[in-house]
Amino acid sequence: MKRTIIIILIAACVGVTWYIANSTEPLSPQTKSAVENALLELEEFPARPVWWQDDSVLAIGVVAGQTNPHHAADRVCKVLAAKGVSSVSVEVYDIVKIQKEDEWRKLASSACR
């Protein structure tokens, strides 16, 4: 009986994982480029976004001490929403630390919904 329940739970987990993986549409390169260009027009973001991870995380760089990282994350969420992108998490990193010391120090993050 326990074995049957475990097999059913494993099958359900695999089914849910497969459904989630196949029901999300990847972001187009044009959409990503439009978001990046919109962010470059804002003073808080001195460099192109650091990376996109699996179309679910956008990491951006700010200059620590000059920009409030929490407000920057919220502002990126607004830009993403304006471009029709939802369900993306934003991570804010210190761009100077990355450039000088290759140290990836996350300053803030936000889940855009």
Side-chain angles (χ1 to χ4, degrees):
M1 180 68 172
K2 289 181 184 179
R3 179 183 286 173
T4 305
I5 291 173
I6 291 173
I7 291 171
I8 290 171
L9 287 175
I10 290 172
C13 289
V14 168
V16 168
T17 302
W18 179 84
Y19 173 77
I20 290 172
N22 289 321
S23 65
T24 57
E25 285 188 34
L27 295 175
S28 70
Q30 294 83 4
T31 302
K32 290 179 181 181
S33 180
V35 169
E36 290 174 7
N37 290 334
L39 292 174
L40 280 174
E41 293 176 7
L42 303 175
E43 292 180 14
E44 297 129 296
F45 311 109
R48 265 205 189 283
V50 179
W51 88 81
W52 290 85
Q53 179 182 345
D54 299 329
D55 294 341
S56 63
V57 178
L58 171 60
I60 59 164
V62 298
V63 178
Q66 292 182 1
T67 303
N68 182 323
H70 299 287
H71 290 266
D74 292 338
R75 187 124 187 229
V76 173
C77 285
K78 290 177 184 173
V79 169
L80 288 166
K83 299 297 178 184
V85 178
S86 61
S87 299
V88 172
S89 295
V90 175
E91 295 180 352
V92 181
Y93 292 88
D94 183 352
I95 194 74
V96 176
K97 285 260 189 209
I98 293 171
Q99 290 174 342
K100 289 185 177 179
E101 303 169 14
D102 197 29
E103 181 182 332
W104 293 74
R105 188 173 69 114
K106 186 173 9 174
L107 303 173
S109 62
S110 180
C112 307
R113 303 279 177 234

